[in-house]
Every structure is written in C-alpha cells, then in structure tokens.
C-alpha cells in the first residue's frame, strides 16, 4: 500500500484514461516504427548538446566521390531538360542504359547483392547533384532508391527474395515502382480499397496458395515503365486458409508487370515535368504467397513496413532535391543580381532585392544543414521518423519560398519559358515536392507534432502505454512511476523556462565560441516549448489530435529548433568559418522569430484561457526575436552577390552547366562582369559611358574591347527565348498560325 499511489495517482489515473490520447493499432505501429534523435533533446527542455555535437560530420568515400565526378556528371551531360519536357517526353534511351550499366538504381542496395552500397549521405549527394541539373533525371534516379521494393526487400525481405530480387534491381534488369496511393485513398493511405484475397491458384504450372489481387492505383512514379510493382493492399482471408483472421490488413507484395491482368503504360503529366508517372490497375492478378515482401509472416505488417521505410526515404529524397533547388536559386539569383542593372546600378545593390536574396541564401544554408545532419544520423543506423517528416515538410516548403523569391528577382527573365530559362523547370516542379511522400499540409498538421509529441516527449509514450495496459494493477503501477517522473520534469522545466525567459541565460557548450548566444537562446526556447507542450497535453488531452492548428504550430516550433541545431552543427563541421556567420545569424533569427510566433499563437488559441494568463509571464512568448536585422540581411545578400568562400561553400557540389546553356551563359557573364569591375568603377567615377571613356582616354582600346565583350555576354543572359510561328508549330503540332487582324479583316 502506498499513499501516493492509492490516494493521489489512482484518481489521476482514472482521469487520464479519459483524456490522454489512445493509440489505434495503426497509430501504435506508426509511432513505434521509427527512432528519435536530437528532437527528443529539444523536447526535453534541456538539450544535451553533446548528442548533437558527437554526430560525425558526413563525408564521402573515394568511391562515392568518384561516382559523382564520373558517372553522375556523364549522366547529366546526356540530359537536356527542355528536350525532355517539351519534345521527347522522356530521358534519351542512352541515358536509361547508362543508369542501368553504372548501377544508379542500386545505390542503397548492399555490395554483396551487387549494389553500390552507398551511405545515406552519398545517396543524398548524388540526388542533389543530379537535381541541380534536371528534375526528371533526379526523380528517375531517386525513386528506385527511396521508399519502394529495393528498400522494403532490403529491410524486410526473406533471404530468397534478397538473393532473387536485389541483384536484378541493382543492375537494372528489373525497374521497380511503388504503389500505395489509390483513387480514394491519398493521404489516408490506410483507407485503400485495393485488395488481395487469399486463395489457391496456378503458378508455374502448379496449384499453390496465393493471393488474387485487384487494384486501381494512381500517380505512381515509374509505373509506366516498371517491370515490377511493389504494391500495398488490404489482404483478406475469407476462407480462413491462413488462420482465423479474416481481415489481415495492409500487406506489401511484389507484382511483376507482365502477369495477366496487370495494366501499366498510361501516363500522367505531373506539372509538365516529364518523368515517368502514371496509373496502374490490376484485375484478378494472381501471385503466390511468397511474393509478399518478407514472406507470409509479414502478411498484414505492411503499414509498419511502410512507416519504417519512409523514415529513411523521406529524410533523403525531397530534402536533397530541395537542397539542390535552393542552392541553385542562391547561385543564379546572386549572379543575376550582379549582372542585371536598373537605374544604372546592379539590382543586387537595392535593399528590396537584398531581402529575398538573403532569404534564399539563408534557406539554402539551413536546408543543407538539415540534410547533412539528417543523413549523418541515418548513417549511424537511426530510423528517423520525426526528423524525416520535419525535413520533408520544411525543405520543400522553404524551397518553394526560395524559388518564388528567385523568380521575383529574375522577373521577366524567369517568366518567359524556353531553353534559356534555368528557373522554370524548378518552378514547375514545386508542387510535386510539396505533394509527394506525405502531402505538406497533412505532414505539418498531423504528423510532425502528432507523432513527434508522443515519440520525442520524455514521458508521454510511457504514460500512454501504461494507461493502455489491460491489467488494472499493472497499469496503475506503471502510470504511478511515469506520471511522477513527468511531474518532476515539468516542475524543473517550468523553473528553467522562467529563469531563462527573464535572464536570457540558457545552457550552451563551454567551447561554443561565437555562436554561444544562439545555443543559449535555443536552450531558452526549448524549455519554453516543453512547458507549452505539457500544458497542451494537460488541458487538451486526446482532443489535441483533432486540434490540427495547434498541433501544426507546435510542430513548427519543434522543426525550427531542429533546423537551428542543424545550422549550428554545420557551422561547427565546416570549421567555424567567420565568413559564414551572417548566414548562421540570418537562419537562427528567422527560426527564433517563427518559434516565438508559433508558441505565442498556440497559447492564444488554447481553449482554456487561463493557460495564457499563467504561461505568458513565465515564458514571455511575445518577447521573441524580430527576425534578421537589416545589417545581417545585407551581409547575407553580399555573400551570394560577390564571389567569396562562403558563396563557394553554399553552392558547392552542384552540376557545372554546359557553356552554351542558360546557366552556362550566366556563369560566363558573371565572371566577365566581376573581372571588369575596376573599369566600371573608373567610368562611374568619371560619369562616362564606355565610348566616352575611350574618347577621354580613361579606357585603353583593350579595356574598351573588354567592356564590349562584357556587354555582349550580359545581353545573352538577359535575353529570353522567342519563336517564329513555324518554330512554335514544332512544339505544338497542329497549332494554327495566328491570324493577324489584317488577315481576319480580309
Ligand atoms: C507527381 C506525383 C508522384 C507520386 N508518386 C507516387 C508513387 O510513386 N507512389 C505512390 O504510392 N504515390 C505517389 N504519389 C501520390 C502522393 O503520395 C499523394 O498525392 C499524396 O499522398 C496526397 O494524396 P492526394 O493527392 O490524394 O491528396 P489528398 O489526400 O486528397 O489530400 C488533399 C489535401 O488535404 C490535405 N489533408 C488530407 N488529410 C488531411 C488531414 N487529416 N489534415 C490536414 N490536411 C489533410 C493534404 O495535405 C492535401 O493538401 C505521387 C503523387 C504525385 C502528384
């Protein structure tokens, strides 16, 4: 008999059963199928910086480096985005062959099965490199290496499946697609109606136990050309051939596309970006039970398998693509703002242009920092459920903002489509990144905090599990232990949050150097966050699941804290370069402002108004940063405007475009403009045009010639494409020649 347990915990236990969230089987599987890492430290209110700083900085092996410098570059050289999107609708056949021969489809397959066995970081670097040239090429390489048959067989396959399928996937003799999404079930994939019925059927001339499948999937990348589909479907066993359970649940199986009843080949046109994507249907397709990924033992475990595979893939594919797009935006916008003049000045010198330039650069720094940290932790063997969701959402969301900013700065140049336009192909693909691998709205509102809160909170999952324990006595014992640990944690955290909110003091590593104040402020917000999260659980309980706007804001604050941590880690890993400090400060100030706002709005929207009265004086959520100062913004804009080491670091590892491409012309003109800067200055000081300068002896003949060359190079960049009616008719076969008013009148 314990006084605390019987007289205090017992009534709380009864109350908590009514209010704390319960987990359905699917939710429990989702929650238990991934690991937490540094986000749990941030959630604790007192982050242990050693956990962050001890993550090994990601690096490439010699073989991985050589793969990027060799085959990746050669592959990109074969790809012309304009031809693909506007004319041929596909990668050239020799590019597909090259991908197969060089093992691009087996990057994540271990060497023992014929794959390249690359690290998560190397995989990400490859995707980033290719995506910096062309999205169709990147998606084609990305998808077989992301969530799909390769990953699922590698993680869950039987030995026989590994021996049979992995070498064939690695050498490209099989091309996989993964089909989860169906007509009715998009974000709510578990509601799919695609089904498989356990029955007997004929396979290789013999009668065997298997599954008769019917499905109608859509949006499936690579489906039109795939040789094997990894399909998720509801498995049922109405005749009890496998046991007593009739509705076995979501199951993943391998379905060769040449089986009778399988339909592939039709294509969707995703945002005018011509990677292979389309629907697939199956009518009474029979497969043996052995085709279930993992074998019959894994029947019904599909949801857990998908969640587990997503935990890695989601942290690599879209973040790498977004990192490429944002770094490209920084590179091109910086250069363009230098060569494009209005009002006699490069536009990059105007404060109004510097603001978006700085946002682009700081997002490029932040996304890449997040990508590096995430892949480094994946390479330590963690399956990052929450961090992967954070990265998927925030990398694609920031990429969208950065590309919009780049479009604004380029203006007409970016609007007019044509082979010279290096931004349009990226701009068109933004909605793809936002939608796939967990559409962004649902990821933000439901997944990041919804899953993160339960996984990353130091006590929440233990408490929920204790409450779900059917044995009442055991349930009370376990709850008593975890609940009081939670109370003690909450008291300590509240003191810490209040102290740091009023004194500005927080925990920072002793040797943090110039970024120590950022660590301290992050620590202050981490404590405030933990208090608000506990208050949300206390007052909303299970209803928090349905309060999506609150969940989204709490997810935003957690994500921004993770991103600042990644930025601090990157600065450290890069060797603490002073030149990068403006980027670090801009990134941190942006995130701090968002955290303050998110917590402020969370408190303001809690149904229990007393929460606000109580919390506001304690954690001072209104006392947040106002975002980057003008001085920091100018300094960051300068980093992308001028050649410097910080700029090189920010935009390194990207494909170097051909000289005659739109991007190649930009690079060339940028170099010439920089070289000619002293001449420009001489003319500016003398208030003369180049010709007047020549005549006045301010410029030599050679210097005048140099400026002429610069002007030609700049003209080529600011030029946009235009077409004769005949040329347009090539792009739009069947297009009518426009009738002029005069012709019409006749
Ligand atoms: C180009 C492309 C490639 C794709 N490739 C594949 C593939 O290879 N394999 C595959 O299986 N699938 C693939 N998909 C499908 C993709 O994963 C789905 O489109 C995605 O899951 C969203 O489903 P939906 O489009 O039906 O949107 P819906 O689920 O109808 O969602 C509509 C909107 O509602 C929001 N929403 C839904 N539920 C909630 C909620 N509870 N709370 C808040 N917001 C919510 C969503 O975020 C979204 O904004 C691809 C899609 C595209 C466009």
């Amino acid at each position: 008999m314990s006084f605390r347990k019987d007289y205090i915990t017992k009534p709380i236990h009864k109350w908590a059963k009514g209010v704390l969230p319960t987990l359905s089987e699917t939710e429990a599987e989702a929650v238990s199928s991934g690991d937490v890492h540094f986000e749990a430290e941030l959630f604790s209110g007192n982050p242990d910086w050693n956990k962050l700083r001890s993550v090994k900085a990601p690096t490439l092996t010699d073989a991985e480096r050589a793969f990027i410098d060799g085959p990746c570059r050669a592959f990109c050289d074969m790809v012309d985005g304009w031809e693909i999107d506007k004319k041929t609708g596909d990668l050239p056949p020799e590019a597909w062959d090259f991908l197969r021969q060089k093992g691009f489809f087996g990057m994540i397959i271990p060497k023992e099965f014929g794959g390249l066995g690359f690290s998560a970081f190397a995989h990400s670097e490859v995707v980033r490199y290719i995506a910096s040239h062309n999205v169709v090429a990147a998606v084609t390489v990305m998808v077989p290496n992301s969530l799909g048959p390769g990953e699922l067989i590698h993680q869950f396959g039987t030995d026989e499946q590994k021996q049979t399928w992995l070498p064939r996937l690695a050498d490209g003799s099989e091309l996989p697609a993964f089909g989860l999404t169906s007509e009715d079930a998009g974000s709510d994939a578990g509601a799919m109606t695609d089904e498989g019925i356990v029955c007997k059927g004929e396979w290789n001339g013999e009668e065997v136990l298997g599954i008769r499948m019917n499905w109608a999937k859509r949006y499936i990348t690579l489906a039109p050309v795939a040789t094997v589909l990894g399909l998720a479907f509801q498995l049922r066993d109405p005749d009890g051939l496998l046991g007593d359970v009739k509705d076995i649940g979501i199951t993943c199986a391998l379905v060769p596309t040449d089986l009778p009843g399988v339909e592939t080949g039709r294509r969707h046109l995703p945002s005018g970006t011509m990677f292979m994507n389309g629907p697939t249907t199956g009518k009474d397709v029979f497969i043996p039970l052995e085709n279930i990924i993992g074998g019959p033992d894994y029947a019904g475990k599909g949801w857990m398998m998908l969640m587990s595979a997503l935990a890695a893939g989601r942290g690599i594919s879209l973040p790498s693509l977004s990192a490429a797009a944002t770094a490209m935006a920084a590179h091109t916008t910086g250069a363009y703002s230098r060569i494009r003049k209005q009002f006699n000045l490069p536009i990059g010198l105007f404060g109004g242009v510097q603001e978006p330039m700085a946002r682009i650069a700081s997002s490029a720094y932040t996304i890449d920092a997040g990508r590096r940290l995430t892949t480094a932790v994946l390479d330590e063997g963690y399956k990052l459920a929450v961090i992967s969701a954070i990265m998927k959402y925030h990398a694609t969301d920031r990429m969208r903002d950065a590309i919009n900013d780049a479009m604004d700065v380029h203006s007409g140049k970016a609007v007019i489509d044509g082979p010279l336009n290096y931004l349009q192909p990226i701009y068109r693909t933004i909605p793809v990144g936002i939608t796939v691998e967990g559409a962004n709205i649902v990821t933000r509102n439901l997944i990041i905090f919804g899953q993160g809160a339960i996984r990353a909170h130091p006590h929440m999952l233990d408490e929920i599990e204790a409450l779900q324990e059917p044995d009442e006595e055991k349930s009370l014992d376990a709850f008593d232990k975890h609940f009081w640990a939670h109370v003690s944690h909450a008291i300590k955290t509240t003191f810490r949050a209040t102290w740091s909110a009023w004194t500005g003091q927080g925990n920072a590593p002793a040797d943090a150097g110039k970024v120590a104040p950022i660590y301290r402020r992050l620590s202050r917000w981490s404590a405030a966050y933990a208090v608000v999260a506990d208050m949300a659980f206390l007052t909303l309980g299970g209803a928090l699941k349905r309060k999506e706007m609150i969940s989204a804001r709490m997810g935003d604050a957690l994500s921004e804290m993770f991103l600042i941590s990644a930025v601090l880690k990157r600065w450290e890993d890069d060797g603490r370069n002073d030149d990068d400090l403006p980027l670090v400060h801009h990134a941190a100030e942006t995130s701090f402002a968002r955290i303050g706002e998110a917590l402020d709005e969370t408190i303001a929207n809690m149904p229990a108004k007393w929460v606000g009265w109580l919390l506001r004086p304690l954690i001072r959520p209104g006392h947040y940063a106002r975002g980057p100062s003008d001085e920091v913004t100018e300094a960051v804009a300068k980093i992308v405007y001028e050649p410097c080491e910080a700029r090189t670091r920010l935009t390194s590892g990207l494909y170097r475009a051909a000289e005659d491409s739109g991007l190649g012309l930009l690079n060339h003109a940028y170099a010439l403009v920089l070289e000619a800067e002293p001449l420009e200055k001489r003319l500016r000081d003398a208030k003369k045009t180049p010709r007047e300068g020549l005549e006045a002896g301010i410029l030599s003949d050679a210097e005048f010639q140099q400026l002429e060359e610069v002007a030609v190079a700049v003209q080529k960049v600011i030029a946009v494409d235009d077409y004769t009616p005949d040329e347009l008719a090539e792009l739009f076969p069947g297009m009518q020649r426009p009738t002029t008013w005069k012709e019409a009148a006749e």
Side-chain angles (χ1 to χ4, degrees), residues 183-197:
E183 291 172 1
D184 294 327
S187 304
D188 185 11
M192 71 183 75
T193 49
D194 311 292
E195 69 169 10
I197 304 290

Side-chain angles (χ1 to χ4, degrees), residues 286-530:
F286 183 79
I287 54 164
L289 279 187
E290 283 61 44
N291 279 30
I292 294 177
I293 299 176
D297 288 349
Y298 276 75
K301 297 199 173 151
W303 195 247
M304 173 278 291
M305 292 159 74
L306 296 178
M307 289 299 110
S308 172
L310 257 186
R314 198 151 44 187
I316 299 176
S317 308
L318 273 315
S320 310
L321 211 131
S322 307
T326 328
M328 281 303 292
H331 172 74
T332 55
T333 310
Y336 189 77
S337 76
R338 184 64 183 255
I339 65 162
R340 175 65 170 167
K341 285 185 181 167
Q342 290 295 291
F343 305 98
N344 252 339
L345 279 178
I347 56 170
L349 293 180
F350 299 123
V353 174
Q354 287 170 343
E355 247 187 321
M357 275 164 66
R359 281 198 298 262
I360 298 170
S362 123
S363 282
Y365 191 81
T366 307
I367 295 175
D368 214 50
R371 175 187 75 96
R372 283 159 189 253
L373 178 57
T374 305
T375 51
V377 179
L378 285 170
D379 279 329
E380 288 185 357
Y382 288 86
K383 294 202 174 68
L384 297 174
V386 183
I387 289 182
S388 295
I390 290 176
M391 281 308 294
K392 193 275 149 172
Y393 172 76
H394 286 272
T396 53
D397 193 62
R398 282 173 183 242
M399 180 259 290
R400 166 163 59 187
D401 290 345
I403 299 301
N404 277 332
D405 276 336
M407 295 288 290
D408 288 1
V409 173
H410 281 76
S411 291
K413 163 78 189 162
V415 175
I416 302 303
D417 208 0
L420 285 178
N421 191 331
Y422 42 79
L423 282 176
Q424 273 286 329
I426 308 177
Y427 183 67
R428 278 199 298 273
T429 359
I430 291 172
V432 177
I434 298 290
T435 303
V436 302
E437 296 203 355
N440 272 14
I441 297 180
V442 76
T443 303
R444 172 171 180 253
N445 287 265
L446 213 61
I447 298 176
I448 296 178
F449 184 71
Q451 211 179 65
I454 294 175
R455 282 315 310 273
H457 189 285
H459 305 287
M460 184 58 60
L461 188 56
D462 292 335
E463 284 167 325
I464 293 175
E465 282 172 355
L467 290 171
Q468 286 190 264
E469 164 63 51
D471 181 321
E472 193 62 16
E473 200 50 42
K474 280 193 194 156
S475 168
L476 184 61
D477 279 347
F479 185 76
D480 183 63
K481 178 173 152 212
H482 297 302
F483 173 74
W484 289 106
H486 189 166
V487 170
S488 148
H489 162 80
I491 293 170
K492 279 191 237 155
T493 309
T494 307
F495 275 114
R496 191 175 300 114
T498 311
W499 164 258
S500 58
W502 283 93
T503 61
Q505 297 302 311
N507 111 46
D511 60 345
K514 293 182 176 164
V515 294
I518 301 182
Y519 277 102
R520 278 199 285 274
R521 284 166 70 197
L522 185 49
S523 165
R524 169 245 199 276
W525 283 117
S526 162
Y529 185 83

Side-chain angles (χ1 to χ4, degrees), residues 178 180-181 186-187 219-221 270 277 435-436 439 441-442 446 548:
F178 184 70
L180 171 66
T181 309
S187 304
Y219 308 139
I220 309 304
T221 302
N277 182 280
T435 303
V436 302
I441 297 180
V442 76
L446 213 61
E548 283 200 359

